[in-house]
Amino acid sequence: MSLPRLKDVAHKVRSKNAGPFWLTIDIFCGTPEAYEIIVEKLTSAQVARCFDTPEQTLKRFDIADLNVVKFSLPRPTIQGSIYDRDMHGASWAALLAEVEI
């Protein structure tokens, strides 16, 4: 039996630029119950592994009043550089949405 994926519990997972050097990923939980499950089950270490980034560079914000969990992390390349394959940072959410929690 496999574990549920983040996208099965969260209402929406969205990613975007947070300037040319950072990305932000918002997990809109939808309900307090979903928020509690995600806060408990989704670890910062899982997120760091998902994006192949050191855990100490990851910033996590659990915002209970909004039922939102937010992560910010350094972009692997500077936005708009020749090596940037996602100028708007929108594709990162799809990767995190597949993580089992």
Side-chain angles (χ1 to χ4, degrees):
M1 185 171 135
S2 64
L3 296 171
R5 293 174 291 177
L6 179 59
K7 70 180 184 179
D8 299 329
V9 179
H11 175 70
K12 181 177 183 122
V13 181
R14 174 185 75 183
S15 60
K16 60 184 178 178
N17 285 329
F21 307 106
W22 286 83
L23 293 163
T24 188
I25 302 165
D26 302 314
I27 303 167
F28 298 96
C29 303
T31 66
E33 295 79 20
Y35 173 81
E36 290 300 324
I37 291 168
I38 292 168
V39 166
E40 178 185 337
K41 303 279 186 182
L42 182 65
T43 67
S44 296
Q46 283 176 293
V47 176
R49 276 193 308 274
C50 179
F51 298 121
D52 194 26
T53 191
E55 186 177 352
Q56 63 269 22
T57 66
L58 195 68
K59 296 180 182 182
R60 178 182 180 137
F61 306 92
D62 296 333
I63 309 166
D65 290 345
L66 300 175
N67 296 318
V68 170
V69 178
K70 177 180 184 141
F71 290 94
S72 293
L73 62 144
R75 290 179 65 97
T77 59
I78 296 171
Q79 179 192 16
S81 75
I82 192 169
Y83 303 108
D84 185 11
R85 300 190 70 178
D86 182 5
M87 185 92 134
H88 301 288
S91 66
W92 295 74
L95 296 171
L96 188 60
E98 295 295 329
V99 169
E100 290 182 337
I101 59 172

